[in-house]
Amino acid sequence: MDILVTGGAGYIGSVVVEQLLEKGHAVTVYDNLSKGHRDAVHPDAQFVQGDVADGGTLSQILNRNNIEAVIHMAASSLVGESVQFPEKYRQNNVVAGQVLLDGMASCGVDKIVFSSTAAVYGEPERQPIVESLRTEPTNPYGETKLEFEGLLKRYAEDVGLRFASLRYFNAAGATQRNGERHDPETHLIPLVLKAVLGQIPHVEVFGTDYPTRDGTCVRDYIHVVDLARAHILALDVLDARSEIYNLGCGGDGYTVREVIDTASAVTGVLIPEKLSGRRAGDPAVLVASSQKIKRELGWEPEFQDLGLIIESAWSWLKGEQGAVRTARQASE
Ligand code: UFG
């Protein structure tokens, strides 16, 4: 299939592109590089630098490259930042998203896989979270992702769009080619590994008084490879229908403390930490039920063990540090 991946230069997008190419799809990556990295785009994918809000360029690509389906991953995705700049989130995640849907409608492209988020649920009373639970986001990030899901439903009714909305829990880990590099970094696992490398003095533990097994927040970490595989499976659904799926590993999840301890065991380094107060907007526990996608699409996570997930992130990061050092030496 000819597939357009918006945000394909980002962390998760670059891994989705790797897998699409492995499956023999023709891939066009569309990314404005505001967060993504040009060198994360696989050389076998066609790259176009551009903004989702630019409907003219988008329509040109949809037509010229005979695009049959879109995987829409370009978005602003930081909870804290969304509280500070809600308008930016509305613009990038809803307004620009609608430009994409209009472009698809006018070019006759009727299939889309969308990167949604567990943040649409807010602070649910029941865990694990099933798709039918009430959606009550507690921050503009979750609100805007939910709003876009609403647009998907409207376009499905009005113009026959078919969509799969994948509500991600906490993506982590790396492939050999691609891993997590945000600037600034706010996510727990990359920060823990930065502390191992001495690039930051300690890991800050946000809150030790949550009603959890050790007082720190519980999250459901899913390997980026497993997450990406779900996109490939979801593409097949779109011939027939539209669906929403949660994507996490389930189980008991892992606390912040368990993440730090596991990273210590993987790297052999005692990680310095600093206990801090709660971070605004953090729910105590977010654990997915992924029964629906397992049942309907036969999806199974390959990496359920946090040690393996962190090990992959650590191998990638060490390779990345090596490459940076070599480049620096070459320029000296
Ligand atoms: N945490 C710390 N110290 C840090 C960073 C994080 O203690 O320095 C804690 C957080 O408080 C949280 C957990 O580690 O309890 C995970 O935090 P992340 O920032 O890594 O991830 P979030 O759970 O906040 O958010 C991620 C994505 C969102 C997505 C959400 C869904 O960034 O886009 O998962 O679960 F919505």
Side-chain angles (χ1 to χ4, degrees):
M1 228 193 285
D2 287 279
I3 297 172
L4 179 76
V5 183
T6 72
Y11 165 46
I12 303 171
S14 58
V15 179
V16 168
V17 170
E18 279 184 47
Q19 293 193 10
L20 287 169
L21 291 167
E22 270 167 32
K23 293 278 173 202
H25 296 290
V27 180
T28 306
V29 168
Y30 189 67
D31 196 304
N32 65 9
L33 298 184
S34 64
K35 296 279 179 201
H37 305 274
R38 179 66 184 88
D39 62 1
V41 179
H42 196 290
D44 293 342
Q46 188 183 330
F47 175 70
V48 180
Q49 184 167 355
D51 204 287
V52 180
D54 176 0
T57 307
L58 262 177
S59 295
Q60 260 176 24
I61 299 167
L62 291 171
N63 280 325
R64 192 184 64 213
N65 292 7
N66 298 315
I67 299 297
E68 293 156 86
V70 174
I71 300 186
H72 179 39
M73 316 186 79
S76 296
S77 63
L78 295 175
V79 170
E81 185 190 55
S82 78
V83 176
Q84 238 186 320
F85 305 108
E87 267 320 306
K88 171 179 172 183
Y89 278 68
R90 184 135 290 104
Q91 171 59 33
N92 291 347
N93 296 355
V94 185
V95 178
Q98 187 159 12
V99 171
L100 170 67
L101 295 183
D102 286 336
M104 288 174 64
S106 68
C107 298
V109 181
D110 61 357
K111 294 177 187 159
I112 184 168
V113 178
F114 171 57
S115 304
S116 188
T117 171
V120 300
Y121 295 108
E123 301 217 35
E125 280 159 25
R126 272 192 296 135
Q127 306 279 343
I129 299 168
V130 290
E131 291 84 350
S132 54
L133 281 191
R134 242 202 335 247
T135 44
E136 288 180 304
T138 51
N139 52 61
Y141 171 56
E143 279 164 18
T144 54
K145 286 282 181 174
L146 189 60
E147 238 176 275
F148 189 75
E149 283 192 0
L151 284 178
L152 290 174
K153 288 177 189 160
R154 209 175 84 202
Y155 279 66
E157 280 167 21
D158 294 353
V159 298
L161 179 77
R162 283 188 298 272
F163 68 86
S165 184
L166 304 180
R167 292 176 175 169
Y168 307 164
F169 283 64
N170 290 56
T175 64
Q176 280 187 346
R177 289 184 56 91
N178 290 301
E180 209 167 351
R181 42 179 167 145
H182 299 112
D183 188 18
E185 188 54 75
T186 62
H187 293 103
L188 180 62
I189 292 177
L191 283 172
V192 166
L193 296 178
K194 272 178 183 284
V196 170
L197 290 170
Q199 293 175 347
I200 54 173
H202 50 249
V203 179
E204 223 173 316
V205 178
F206 294 141
T208 51
D209 59 348
Y210 285 99
T212 59
R213 50 189 178 269
D214 62 19
T216 66
C217 286
V218 172
R219 291 290 180 274
D220 185 344
Y221 295 90
I222 170 172
H223 199 293
V224 66
V225 163
D226 287 325
L227 196 58
R229 203 151 32 76
H231 294 70
I232 316 285
L233 294 171
L235 278 172
D236 292 336
V237 170
L238 300 178
D239 286 330
R241 60 186 201 276
S242 296
E243 290 291 348
I244 293 175
Y245 295 112
N246 283 345
L247 272 173
C249 287
D252 295 329
Y254 293 94
T255 66
V256 172
R257 177 147 309 291
E258 287 162 353
V259 169
I260 297 172
D261 290 347
T262 307
S264 280
V266 166
T267 60
V269 173
L270 190 65
I271 298 166
E273 53 180 67
K274 177 178 167 219
L275 306 184
S276 296
R278 294 182 176 198
R279 187 172 69 175
D282 271 345
V285 182
L286 282 175
V287 174
S289 162
S290 296
Q291 290 310 316
K292 184 178 172 195
I293 192 161
K294 288 181 178 175
R295 200 174 54 238
E296 295 188 5
L297 304 188
W299 177 83
E300 277 296 333
E302 197 186 318
F303 299 91
Q304 304 231 31
D305 177 73
L306 183 64
L308 291 178
I309 295 178
I310 294 182
E311 213 170 273
S312 72
W314 179 230
S315 307
W316 176 81
L317 190 63
K318 282 189 294 185
E320 189 72 3
Q321 295 304 311
V324 170
R325 269 198 305 275
T326 314
R328 210 179 289 138
Q329 277 159 6
S331 70
E332 277 165 8

